[in-house]
Amino acid sequence: MKQWELQCSRCSARLPFRYQDMKCACGGTLLVDYDLEHVAKTFTKASLQLRYPSMWRYQELLPLQDKASIISLGEGWTPLLRMPTWESKLSLKRLWIKREEQNPTGSFKSRGFSVAVSLLKEAGATKAAVPSNGNAAGALAAYAGRAGIQAFVFIPMDCPSLIVDECPLYGATTVLVDGFIHDAAAIIESGRKEQGWVNVGTLKEPGRVEGKKTMGLELAEQLGWTFPDVIIYPTGGGSGIIGMWKSFLELKKLGFIEGDMPRFVCVQESGCQPIVDGLGQPMAVTPTHDSDASLAPEPHKIIPNPTGMRVPNPPDLELLLSIVKQSGGTAIAVSKEQIAQATQSLGAEGISSSPEGAATWAAMLVLCDTGWLRSTDSVVLFNTSHAMKYAKLGASAAIPIIKTYEEFMVYRNI
Amino acid sequence: MKQWELQCSRCSARLPFRYQDMKCACGGTLLVDYDLEHVAKTFTKASLQLRYPSMWRYQELLPLQDKASIISLGEGWTPLLRMPTWESKLSLKRLWIKREEQNPTGSFKSRGFSVAVSLLKEAGATKAAVPSNGNAAGALAAYAGRAGIQAFVFIPMDCPSLIVDECPLYGATTVLVDGFIHDAAAIIESGRKEQGWVNVGTLKEPGRVEGKKTMGLELAEQLGWTFPDVIIYPTGGGSGIIGMWKSFLELKKLGFIEGDMPRFVCVQESGCQPIVDGLGQPMAVTPTHDSDASLAPEPHKIIPNPTGMRVPNPPDLELLLSIVKQSGGTAIAVSKEQIAQATQSLGAEGISSSPEGAATWAAMLVLCDTGWLRSTDSVVLFNTSHAMKYAKLGASAAIPIIKTYEEFMVYRNI
């Protein structure tokens, strides 16, 4: 085979590599398949130890012809932060948070777009468009800016305004859409040919899954080439789940790691929970402690927040469900209130979390409470972005204004 | 000598190490002095190559007794991004941007507070206070939260509200001050004894300079143990300049690097420019191109923005000026308009910059224009934080809202 080809994740059909249109004739999603014998010649644990800490250290497992085509802004190799206090509190063997907000565009989306835009550049494409709840739009805008490619981003109008604002800063043509992310996607499909856009939406091209894959490679390397027992991940379109699963299979085939794959937990927000519903076995999320009863997720009547998890129609739900099931994982929906409380808990630990990142914390608490997580489990949560991106001004209206220490004391005594 | 002691940067007096009160009897600033013979036993280029990419890889040059005391949130080892397109445009040998906004609290302040709070923890301190234009407050709040230390932050009331808002999220007692950063500092000094606060303001304790020092160590290592010719750095209190200068001297003494030290350029905003004024040789900043005349910095009548550069009374101006002069560097004040334009230029390259980071870009353009920067110079700029921290809502009011591709076309044709 060539260095890499495409293979259908549903019917296993094989096709030559291309940088767009990832739908197989059977309806399945095409994924990049590497000649691992070739990869193994240079991709070794020893060689990796001496490479620069960036996601591009995994270059043999990324589908770029020429290193010179890499469009990088400094993405990847984000910290994996251990949470020892909470390990004790929750009786978990290990608890880590992968701090993806420390990527160049302030979110995990940097990874996928570094690869996707590098592929566009290598192919000579000049215009790219994406439907996005915000962070993907910012990432396309930034990487396209760096590459000299024109970016067009389409964002549901209720998405966080600060994230929207960064897109024109990066030079993208930015449009708000009166609808959901799939409505934005439909607009792009309508105009794609006329405008000459490459659609870089979720699973529309190979780069984003491959880029997200590096989260899995990095996690395994940071854990000394082992897998954690459980990965809790906020899930919208699901390319992160697909990418990490794929990366772990590649590492097993390369002989880097043996043993069980991690159990994947997809976290969604109540009211938009196609993966939870798709699993058909909604887990009992009612906490066992009475005091926590008010935190129990409410049913579908709730309108979810406009976060990256709000994807009513994931592009390949079948593939996502298959991965979660194979892994022995589950899916769980958490409420706005649980997310808000988790944001505070993470804040008190010095971590600024996105609602999506906080949702993984909220899910972890429920899974501990129901006994799904065990004291033998090592668990990794993903903080995909930071709180500021979702901030609203005026939150601090209650902060006192003083001129002297005496005024401070008056305030303290109120 | 002990593993490390304090030494006065003015009169060279030596004192035992302590974690607060860095003022020598002579009025000079006390800095940490290491037993470099002891350091050299384990701190080698070869040993560093195998260490984890975090600022704590330089542990022998950080004044902590016990590794177990380290309070880390994943700081340091930020990307050094090369800017090849602009190297050609500006005829510079090399141009890099150090992306300090990728630290855990979204700014370079993470480094200093990781060390400062670790020292507090090691000493058993329970309360810390800081006067800050914003990012230092957020960093103290976050690291104190992680350490279980109570944080009290005092911020001038006109500082960016999103940065202020993060402090209570991290659990800090947050107070706005009707005045400048030195007014906030005065309030802390008034209450310090009564409240039991350790003042972790600039140059009040040893940790922040030592933490900032890692920017210099990291830069030298990322450049293959060489110095750049020029470092352009946004300067407020100046602990970054003092720290990097100190790190380079340590590397020279350790035999890691030979040759000339980098020339340090301090960048300030017109209207608050004590370093520019202190140098007494204000450089000619009038651009040579007529078209750029409108960008020339205006004199002192301007009120500067509330950024980290707005420090009217740096705690040790004498030391700062001495470093800039010894290095063969300079200082330059840029205008609000130059900063705004630089923010756009960096944005178009995919980089979200703070006003402070953008100021270094603006300064670089002037220094190229006047010929102070030469085609043989390799230059490093510091982007100390990202644009979102300084964002105001409503910026995107002009972004169109559409429902269909046809509406997009109408908008495009306007």
Side-chain angles (χ1 to χ4, degrees):
Chain A
M1 70 180 280
K2 284 212 165 188
Q3 253 182 282
W4 52 80
E5 296 174 344
L6 297 176
Q7 183 167 28
C8 178
S9 55
R10 190 180 296 173
C11 75
S12 299
R14 301 187 68 84
L15 285 93
F17 181 79
R18 63 191 188 210
Y19 71 98
Q20 53 187 326
D21 301 325
M22 290 299 108
K23 203 73 144 179
C24 177
C26 81
T29 301
L30 300 171
L31 297 173
V32 183
D33 188 45
Y34 297 84
D35 176 353
L36 293 179
E37 274 185 41
H38 180 79
V39 167
K41 286 178 194 166
T42 52
F43 191 85
T44 63
K45 290 181 188 179
S47 78
L48 281 161
Q49 205 169 14
L50 294 175
R51 292 186 190 181
Y52 199 82
S54 140
M55 61 171 246
W56 289 98
R57 69 199 271 108
Y58 308 113
Q59 54 179 287
E60 291 96 333
L61 289 174
L62 294 170
L64 219 64
Q65 296 291 346
D66 185 354
K67 267 176 74 168
S69 320
I70 293 175
I71 304 297
S72 172
L73 290 167
E75 52 289 326
W77 204 267
T78 56
L80 183 65
L81 189 67
R82 200 158 150 209
M83 305 294 285
T85 313
W86 283 86
E87 284 170 6
S88 312
K89 279 192 203 175
L90 298 170
S91 294
L92 288 170
K93 186 174 156 203
R94 288 279 187 278
L95 176 62
W96 291 279
I97 297 180
K98 184 82 174 140
R99 301 201 68 171
E100 286 294 300
E101 77 275 26
Q102 290 179 231
N103 274 298
T105 63
S107 91
F108 68 151
K109 298 285 184 184
S110 295
R111 294 178 187 267
F113 283 95
S114 180
V115 179
V117 173
S118 297
L119 288 174
L120 293 183
K121 192 76 185 172
E122 196 154 72
T126 57
K127 292 179 185 179
V130 78
S132 162
N133 285 326
N135 280 320
L140 172 62
Y143 283 88
R146 173 85 173 172
I149 287 171
Q150 274 187 279
F152 298 79
V153 304
F154 296 80
I155 308 172
M157 60 187 286
D158 58 352
C159 286
S161 58
L162 289 171
I163 306 183
V164 173
D165 289 354
E166 276 212 336
C167 299
L169 174 68
Y170 292 135
T173 299
T174 306
V175 182
L176 294 172
V177 175
D178 182 3
F180 287 103
I181 190 168
H182 50 260
D183 300 311
I187 292 174
I188 292 173
E189 280 304 302
S190 300
R192 192 162 62 91
K193 283 198 179 146
E194 189 171 278
Q195 297 289 332
W197 294 328
V198 178
N199 185 343
V200 291
T202 306
L203 304 186
K204 288 287 181 185
E205 55 71 55
R208 287 177 61 189
V209 167
E210 293 302 301
K212 285 274 186 75
K213 187 178 79 174
T214 63
M215 292 190 297
L217 298 172
E218 215 171 278
L219 190 57
E221 187 175 3
Q222 287 176 327
L223 294 175
W225 297 116
T226 64
F227 294 137
D229 296 300
V230 177
I231 288 175
I232 307 185
Y233 189 83
T235 314
S239 59
I241 296 282
I242 297 166
M244 283 195 281
W245 178 255
K246 185 169 184 295
S247 76
F248 295 152
L249 288 175
E250 287 165 356
L251 288 177
K252 283 174 81 88
K253 285 183 198 156
L254 284 165
F256 271 50
I257 308 183
E258 293 179 352
D260 291 341
M261 299 278 272
R263 287 131 63 202
F264 279 98
V265 178
C266 290
V267 184
Q268 310 205 282
E269 189 181 323
S270 305
C272 181
Q273 48 191 68
I275 305 168
V276 177
D277 295 344
L279 274 184
Q281 302 157 316
M283 58 175 304
V285 286
T286 312
T288 50
H289 305 314
D290 286 348
S291 60
D292 287 336
S294 65
L295 296 179
E298 297 178 26
H300 282 253
K301 62 185 177 191
I302 294 180
I303 297 162
N305 282 314
T307 71
M309 295 179 289
R310 192 185 66 180
V311 180
N313 305 314
D316 193 343
L317 182 60
E318 181 185 315
L319 177 56
L320 266 179
L321 294 175
S322 141
I323 290 171
V324 173
K325 283 179 197 163
Q326 278 181 75
S327 81
T330 187
I332 177 170
V334 293
S335 69
K336 272 191 192 64
E337 293 71 26
Q338 285 172 302
I339 291 172
Q341 189 159 328
T343 306
Q344 294 297 321
S345 299
L346 283 164
E349 292 286 323
I351 298 167
S352 172
S353 68
S354 60
E356 297 91 341
T360 67
W361 184 269
M364 173 195 68
L365 294 181
V366 174
L367 294 171
C368 282
D369 218 18
T370 58
W372 193 90
L373 283 175
R374 301 179 290 259
S375 61
T376 51
D377 282 333
S378 60
V379 180
V380 175
L381 313 182
F382 276 80
N383 187 32
T384 48
S385 186
H386 56 73
M388 202 172 273
K389 287 207 169 207
Y390 304 78
K392 290 181 174 67
L393 284 192
S396 57
I399 294 178
I401 300 174
I402 63 169
K403 270 194 112 156
T404 63
Y405 176 62
E406 287 66 37
E407 287 179 27
F408 173 77
M409 289 305 292
V410 171
Y411 150 68
R412 288 286 282 171
N413 292 328
I414 291 171
Chain B
M1 70 179 279
K2 285 210 164 187
Q3 255 182 282
W4 53 79
E5 296 174 345
L6 297 176
Q7 183 166 29
C8 177
S9 55
R10 190 181 294 172
C11 74
S12 298
R14 300 186 71 82
L15 284 93
F17 182 79
R18 62 189 188 213
Y19 71 98
Q20 52 185 329
D21 300 325
M22 290 298 109
K23 203 72 140 181
C24 178
C26 81
T29 301
L30 300 171
L31 297 172
V32 183
D33 187 45
Y34 297 83
D35 176 354
L36 293 178
E37 274 184 39
H38 180 78
V39 168
K41 287 178 193 165
T42 51
F43 191 86
T44 63
K45 291 181 186 178
S47 77
L48 281 162
Q49 205 167 15
L50 294 175
R51 293 188 190 179
Y52 198 82
S54 138
M55 62 172 243
W56 288 99
R57 69 200 269 110
Y58 308 113
Q59 53 177 289
E60 291 96 333
L61 289 174
L62 294 170
L64 220 62
Q65 295 292 346
D66 185 355
K67 268 176 76 169
S69 321
I70 293 174
I71 304 296
S72 171
L73 289 167
E75 51 290 328
W77 205 267
T78 55
L80 184 65
L81 189 69
R82 199 157 152 209
M83 305 293 287
T85 314
W86 283 87
E87 284 170 6
S88 313
K89 277 192 202 173
L90 298 170
S91 294
L92 287 171
K93 185 173 156 205
R94 290 280 187 280
L95 176 62
W96 291 280
I97 296 180
K98 184 82 173 140
R99 300 202 69 172
E100 285 295 300
E101 76 276 26
Q102 288 178 234
N103 274 299
T105 63
S107 90
F108 68 151
K109 298 285 183 184
S110 295
R111 295 178 187 266
F113 283 95
S114 181
V115 179
V117 172
S118 297
L119 287 174
L120 294 183
K121 192 77 185 169
E122 196 153 74
T126 57
K127 293 179 182 178
V130 79
S132 162
N133 284 326
N135 280 321
L140 171 62
Y143 283 87
R146 173 86 173 172
I149 287 172
Q150 274 186 280
F152 299 80
V153 304
F154 295 81
I155 308 171
M157 60 185 286
D158 58 352
C159 286
S161 58
L162 290 170
I163 304 184
V164 174
D165 290 354
E166 276 211 335
C167 299
L169 174 68
Y170 292 136
T173 300
T174 307
V175 181
L176 294 171
V177 175
D178 182 3
F180 287 103
I181 189 168
H182 49 262
D183 301 310
I187 292 173
I188 292 173
E189 279 304 302
S190 300
R192 190 161 63 91
K193 283 197 180 149
E194 188 171 278
Q195 297 290 330
W197 293 328
V198 178
N199 185 343
V200 292
T202 306
L203 303 188
K204 289 286 182 187
E205 55 71 59
R208 288 177 61 190
V209 166
E210 293 303 300
K212 285 274 186 74
K213 188 178 78 176
T214 62
M215 294 190 296
L217 297 172
E218 212 171 279
L219 189 57
E221 188 175 3
Q222 288 175 326
L223 295 176
W225 297 116
T226 64
F227 295 137
D229 296 300
V230 177
I231 288 175
I232 306 185
Y233 188 82
T235 314
S239 59
I241 296 282
I242 297 166
M244 283 195 280
W245 178 256
K246 186 170 183 294
S247 76
F248 295 153
L249 287 175
E250 287 166 355
L251 289 176
K252 282 175 80 89
K253 285 182 197 157
L254 284 164
F256 271 51
I257 308 183
E258 292 178 355
D260 291 340
M261 299 277 272
R263 284 132 63 202
F264 279 99
V265 178
C266 291
V267 184
Q268 309 206 280
E269 189 182 322
S270 305
C272 181
Q273 48 190 70
I275 306 167
V276 177
D277 295 344
L279 273 184
Q281 301 158 315
M283 59 175 304
V285 287
T286 312
T288 51
H289 304 316
D290 287 347
S291 60
D292 286 339
S294 65
L295 296 180
E298 297 179 27
H300 282 252
K301 62 186 177 190
I302 295 180
I303 297 163
N305 282 314
T307 71
M309 295 179 289
R310 193 186 64 179
V311 179
N313 304 314
D316 194 343
L317 182 59
E318 182 186 315
L319 177 57
L320 267 177
L321 295 175
S322 141
I323 291 171
V324 174
K325 282 179 196 164
Q326 279 182 71
S327 80
T330 189
I332 176 170
V334 294
S335 69
K336 273 192 190 65
E337 294 70 28
Q338 284 171 302
I339 291 172
Q341 189 159 328
T343 305
Q344 294 297 321
S345 300
L346 283 164
E349 291 287 323
I351 297 168
S352 172
S353 68
S354 60
E356 297 91 341
T360 66
W361 184 269
M364 172 195 67
L365 294 181
V366 175
L367 294 170
C368 282
D369 219 16
T370 59
W372 193 91
L373 284 175
R374 302 179 288 259
S375 61
T376 51
D377 282 332
S378 59
V379 180
V380 175
L381 313 183
F382 276 80
N383 187 32
T384 49
S385 185
H386 57 72
M388 201 172 273
K389 288 208 169 205
Y390 303 78
K392 291 181 174 65
L393 284 192
S396 57
I399 295 176
I401 300 173
I402 63 169
K403 271 194 112 155
T404 63
Y405 176 62
E406 288 67 36
E407 287 179 26
F408 173 77
M409 290 305 291
V410 171
Y411 150 69
R412 288 287 281 170
N413 291 329
I414 289 171

